[in-house]
Amino acid sequence: AQLRYADVISGDEGVDLWTDRSVGDRDSINGSGSFLIRRGRLVFSGDLGQYFSYYIQPDFASAAGTTDNVLQLRDAYFDVALDRAKVHRFRLGQSKVPFGFENLQSSQNRIPLDRADALNSGVRDERDLGVFYYYTPSTVQALFKEIAGAGLKHSGNYGMFGLGVYNGQGSNRRDANDSYHTVARFTYPMKLDSGQFLEFGVQGYRGRFVPNRGSFRNSATGGAVTVANPADDLRLLQGFRDERVALSAVMYPQPFGLQAEWTWGRTPGLDASTRLLDEEDLDGGYVQAMMKVDAGRYGTIFPFLRWQTFDGFNKAELNAPRNRVDDWELGVEWQINKQVELTAVYHLMDRNNLVTGNRAGRVDYTRFNSDVLRVQVQASF
Amino acid sequence: AQLRYADVISGDEGVDLWTDRSVGDRDSINGSGSFLIRRGRLVFSGDLGQYFSYYIQPDFASAAGTTDNVLQLRDAYFDVALDRAKVHRFRLGQSKVPFGFENLQSSQNRIPLDRADALNSGVRDERDLGVFYYYTPSTVQALFKEIAGAGLKHSGNYGMFGLGVYNGQGSNRRDANDSYHTVARFTYPMKLDSGQFLEFGVQGYRGRFVPNRGSFRNSATGGAVTVANPADDLRLLQGFRDERVALSAVMYPQPFGLQAEWTWGRTPGLDASTRLLDEEDLDGGYVQAMMKVDAGRYGTIFPFLRWQTFDGFNKAELNAPRNRVDDWELGVEWQINKQVELTAVYHLMDRNNLVTGNRAGRVDYTRFNSDVLRVQVQASF
Amino acid sequence: AQLRYADVISGDEGVDLWTDRSVGDRDSINGSGSFLIRRGRLVFSGDLGQYFSYYIQPDFASAAGTTDNVLQLRDAYFDVALDRAKVHRFRLGQSKVPFGFENLQSSQNRIPLDRADALNSGVRDERDLGVFYYYTPSTVQALFKEIAGAGLKHSGNYGMFGLGVYNGQGSNRRDANDSYHTVARFTYPMKLDSGQFLEFGVQGYRGRFVPNRGSFRNSATGGAVTVANPADDLRLLQGFRDERVALSAVMYPQPFGLQAEWTWGRTPGLDASTRLLDEEDLDGGYVQAMMKVDAGRYGTIFPFLRWQTFDGFNKAELNAPRNRVDDWELGVEWQINKQVELTAVYHLMDRNNLVTGNRAGRVDYTRFNSDVLRVQVQASF
């Protein structure tokens, strides 16, 4: 479970960070300086005979209509191993889509509070419903385990090679068209003679995505408007092209580490001024530097610095609005013990709002520039 | 948990199978060839002293508004036994209404993917909130256990005789009028000298039901219309007559089995052309033939053939629309081990849509004729 | 879990008891004589090392839109003890706000079916999201345990002294303005030479509350109207003054007991005739007499008599309507064993409706005067 608190220190008003509803001020949708339960997850898992296993994870920090903290599914999958060593595995159900190192990292293993927008906008809540195949040779399994066992913030075993087909509208959404998304990922971990672990990955997906549409305000004087594509634009029913490739590189923190990912692609996106949805280009990524400092009985401390940029669109939000980011984060995660973490981040945001329904009189999807202090307590159980 | 996949092979377009949202094509509400989590249930149960026990089962495949996979209650009941042998029991809370053999069978014990419409339309999600009494003599308890223990797909112990009063609007819906539903069921299992098990049952319920109303399209050219009953039609507040009787007969698969059920009754129903809700007649049922083939270390295989027909209405859907069915299903369930099942069905559908909100330009509640290939993986834990 | 049943014996029609949707008649929103699952809670809790612990409690009797029995969070908190004896503790997350003895009592420890309106209207669902500090000297911890261990219906350990800051919009609602609520409570338990336990408390909170607004009917002839405050009334965005103090006194039932609480304060409230929301005065409380009768192997019986009065408003309901109560309750709780309780209450209600959306033609927020028989089975697990 994660409890968050955020306070806007300075900068523009009307801040709404789409990934964290605790960020806001008196002109935002959410109040300023408010507490938020960001995540709260229970895991039910087990083996069903020698070749089968299941994993179910509801989250109690979901919203349904105006009501918060409803329990909703994150993961619900079923693994079928083809051999006892689990070199070949199929995963059926709702699970993480293998696109991006950081997307696959659990929130316990990620150091920053939220994933960077560029790769995270590829898959809504990182998950979808489908069938996935993972190939992990025994030597790679051993390396994955060694990295994770050393407390180096690994992403977990999603195969050295992964391949999948999935509905494509994102976690907990029904399929909307008559085509799948397909995804492939290859990641290669290695251990240098010095003992330093490195990991490099490449991944991509493609499919057709149908954005949700609704009203928004694109001028201070006019009223709410809607998407202006003609009703016979078949892409509104069958989906817009949605495809990306991405590169990942990780030098694990022993004690100094570096992590970077970058993505390029095409996505459904809205031009707010013409009110037209079209297929648009996107690119962006992040570079993160971090340290692992062992503090003995006081636990482990991870100072980090991250720069992220994105020039794209967020297909999973209403109307697939423009998503421009140029952020710096300076922070520290303190692992007090195996189960309790405290993270504090000074976040310099230069981005635009992705949600509609701002306070009366404010234009939607506008840019803001703010400094925000964010604090999180995370308990894992 | 159940993961489903369906593909429309041929036939009319715009298919929407109300019991399975994975069935669809490019003109349906749901896309074609899509994956779906159909069920996902966690059970919490236990004894509270010698005479009391409880059973709580949420399902994480429920929808709330536009969001899927929210956790919602299926069962939440409390059993009070009047004697140590549990011959006399009261069940308080939300639980299955004892109407129909197949309705009482768990999805693990049922061979086809979905229950047949004729009896299943009697109780929304098979459950309601009320007080039930079950009488099961010790000899009948022993017989029930013997049938279930032999892996013959029993319905579970809902009494040799059962009697109940319940709200009547169905699972997870509040009561809407000032009258209960009452239900009674008698079922009699027997074992022939040959070892063959047979079971015969009779059941019935009555009450008053208040259907939900909303807009629908009943012509290709006009707009959406609503139910036209006058506002002073008291039945809109106090409910329409809702009463059924049904017969059940089961010859358990040793190795060849037969199962049939039939129902007759009165129900609230909509005449889409006149837009009037009235009390209408209904009848329908199914006949199912199945085999139990033991495949040694590869598990157990159940080939089956089912014909179902229904000339009625579905009171639990918006506007209680006409529900006409004339379907054939040819399939096979493979029980890989005690916990994992794979089912494939070739389903010839001749029925009508029960949901509104079809793609623009399509009339609601129209008939379709389609061949669909349906596949399901079920994991029980 | 709690299952309820209520039947209106006599009096006015159109009864809607906001705390219990099983109460109603043929002119109410809910039907008469209906069953209801009032509560159903699962607890997940544990220690995370020596100083940390967590507690998560979803409830499956929540509503989301028109659908009932969805799982929603009640508690999700994280305790940090500053010392091994847990004299000083911080509680982070969504938990009970320390305002009122009865508000802190669990439903298992409370004898009447619902909390009295005067203090219970202070905090929606008794809970909010924030940070709380509790100070409990070891001697007071010991006394709390002695009272609870004797089965005397204690409130649980929320500190001898408690202090907190919280969002202020109530359980499972996002913060709506840029200010916190703050709360403080002091309670003092003692044991007389006779062995009689007494406990006295004082508490208060203050903050700014933003009520939800919607349409309502305030005359039999006109249509629905809305709140008429001008759009530039800043209190609609930043909140109305919301502050209360309260006194609590408990003489534990050994075997005869008395319990009383009273509150005074200011709150957002609606004048239905002028349709204006303003800051209004409130006061009210209750006096309860009860007995503890040990019935040997048949358990324990608690007869009780309660009078409650309130002249205030309910800020958490739509439009913060007037909440006037003058009720008598005569009832008995039978603790059959440690886990099963049966309660029956004859409830003389003189109060007004707090919910909108009555049956056509009825004015919202009107007064009613009714005698209701209410029955509850509670199972704790």
Side-chain angles (χ1 to χ4, degrees), chain B residues 44 48-49 52 54 56 58 64 70-73 76 78 92-94 129-131 165 167 172-178 180 237-238, chain C residues 3 5 21 26 30-37 42 44 60 63-64 66-71 336-337 339-340 359 377 379-381:
Chain B
F44 305 87
L48 309 169
F52 304 102
Y54 70 95
I56 292 171
V70 163
L71 270 80
Q72 189 179 43
L73 210 58
F78 178 67
L92 292 77
Q94 183 164 297
L129 191 52
V131 174
V165 294
N167 281 341
N172 299 323
R173 290 296 180 276
R174 287 182 211 167
D175 193 22
N177 57 9
D178 53 339
Y180 305 109
L237 277 183
Q238 296 174 7
Chain C
L3 181 71
Y5 173 89
R21 291 180 281 98
R26 70 165 63 191
N30 304 300
S32 84
S34 55
F35 298 101
L36 174 76
I37 297 175
L42 301 167
F44 305 87
F60 54 68
T66 60
T67 274
D68 269 9
N69 297 335
V70 163
L71 270 80
I336 301 175
N337 62 29
Q339 298 171 300
V340 182
R359 299 237 162 148
V377 177
S380 306
F381 38 80

Side-chain angles (χ1 to χ4, degrees), chain B residues 300-353:
Chain B
T300 311
I301 294 166
F302 289 89
F304 74 96
L305 177 68
R306 182 168 75 166
W307 169 68
Q308 64 161 303
T309 185
F310 187 36
D311 180 10
F313 297 82
N314 195 309
K315 66 186 177 190
E317 292 291 319
L318 200 68
N319 303 318
R322 182 134 212 149
N323 189 4
R324 266 181 293 211
V325 182
D326 190 10
D327 281 17
W328 284 91
E329 287 162 85
L330 176 63
V332 62
E333 179 187 292
W334 176 23
Q335 283 189 351
I336 301 174
N337 62 29
K338 280 207 167 179
Q339 299 171 298
V340 183
E341 294 173 13
L342 186 67
T343 308
V345 180
Y346 196 84
H347 192 152
L348 288 77
M349 298 180 182
D350 179 1
R351 47 168 70 222
N352 61 298
N353 280 334

Side-chain angles (χ1 to χ4, degrees), chain A residues 341-353:
Chain A
E341 293 172 16
L342 185 68
T343 308
V345 181
Y346 196 84
H347 192 153
L348 288 76
M349 300 180 180
D350 178 1
R351 47 168 70 222
N352 61 299
N353 279 335

Side-chain angles (χ1 to χ4, degrees), chain C residues 83-323:
Chain C
D83 58 315
R84 294 199 185 185
K86 303 197 176 175
V87 171
H88 301 276
R89 283 178 299 150
F90 280 92
R91 179 161 292 179
L92 293 76
Q94 181 165 301
S95 73
K96 283 197 171 176
V97 172
F99 179 75
F101 179 88
E102 196 188 52
N103 283 342
L104 297 173
Q105 268 186 321
S106 67
S107 64
Q108 198 184 353
N109 278 330
R110 183 167 22 83
I111 304 177
L113 296 191
D114 291 305
R115 294 181 177 87
D117 287 39
L119 275 85
N120 194 220
S121 56
V123 187
R124 181 197 183 87
D125 289 339
E126 303 94 49
R127 290 163 176 87
D128 212 317
L129 192 52
V131 174
F132 302 88
Y133 162 76
Y134 293 110
Y135 168 66
T136 328
S138 301
T139 51
V140 173
Q141 287 190 37
L143 221 43
F144 282 167
K145 268 184 200 155
E146 199 179 341
I147 297 172
L152 297 175
K153 307 275 183 187
H154 192 249
S155 68
N157 179 357
Y158 287 84
M160 182 179 80
F161 177 68
L163 193 66
V165 294
Y166 58 99
N167 281 342
Q169 292 294 115
S171 176
N172 300 322
R173 291 297 181 275
R174 288 181 211 167
D175 194 22
N177 57 9
D178 54 338
S179 68
Y180 305 110
H181 274 55
T182 52
V183 65
R185 176 179 181 252
F186 179 81
T187 190
Y188 196 73
M190 45 190 144
K191 187 180 186 176
L192 302 186
D193 290 345
S194 64
Q196 175 68 49
F197 293 104
L198 301 176
E199 188 166 342
F200 299 97
V202 55
Q203 49 254 309
Y205 71 77
R206 67 183 304 172
R208 288 189 164 275
F209 187 92
V210 181
N212 287 320
R213 288 168 288 153
S215 63
F216 60 98
R217 286 171 56 90
N218 63 353
S219 77
T221 51
V225 297
T226 55
V227 166
N229 291 45
D232 63 357
D233 184 343
L234 278 178
R235 300 173 306 177
L236 296 178
L237 277 183
Q238 297 173 4
F240 294 80
R241 275 173 66 195
D242 177 26
E243 49 196 42
R244 300 195 189 185
V245 293
L247 296 179
S248 309
V250 185
M251 182 178 100
Y252 287 96
Q254 300 168 292
F256 177 75
L258 280 173
Q259 186 178 322
E261 295 191 273
W262 213 266
T263 187
W264 302 262
R266 303 271 295 164
T267 183
L270 173 72
D271 182 330
S273 57
T274 64
R275 298 156 44 208
L276 289 173
L277 274 170
D278 206 347
E279 292 160 0
E280 305 279 359
D281 287 327
L282 65 82
D283 78 278
Y286 69 90
V287 180
Q288 174 181 316
M290 64 267 196
M291 289 275 286
K292 180 172 183 286
V293 182
D294 291 312
R297 57 182 286 234
Y298 296 106
T300 311
I301 295 167
F302 289 89
F304 73 96
L305 176 70
R306 182 168 75 167
W307 168 67
Q308 64 162 303
T309 185
F310 187 37
D311 179 12
F313 297 82
N314 196 310
K315 66 187 177 189
E317 292 292 317
L318 200 69
N319 303 318
R322 183 135 211 147
N323 190 2

Side-chain angles (χ1 to χ4, degrees), chain A residues 156-182:
Chain A
N157 178 358
Y158 289 83
M160 182 179 82
F161 177 68
L163 193 67
V165 294
Y166 56 100
N167 280 342
Q169 292 294 116
S171 176
N172 300 322
R173 290 295 181 277
R174 288 182 210 167
D175 194 22
N177 58 9
D178 55 337
S179 68
Y180 305 108
H181 274 56
T182 52

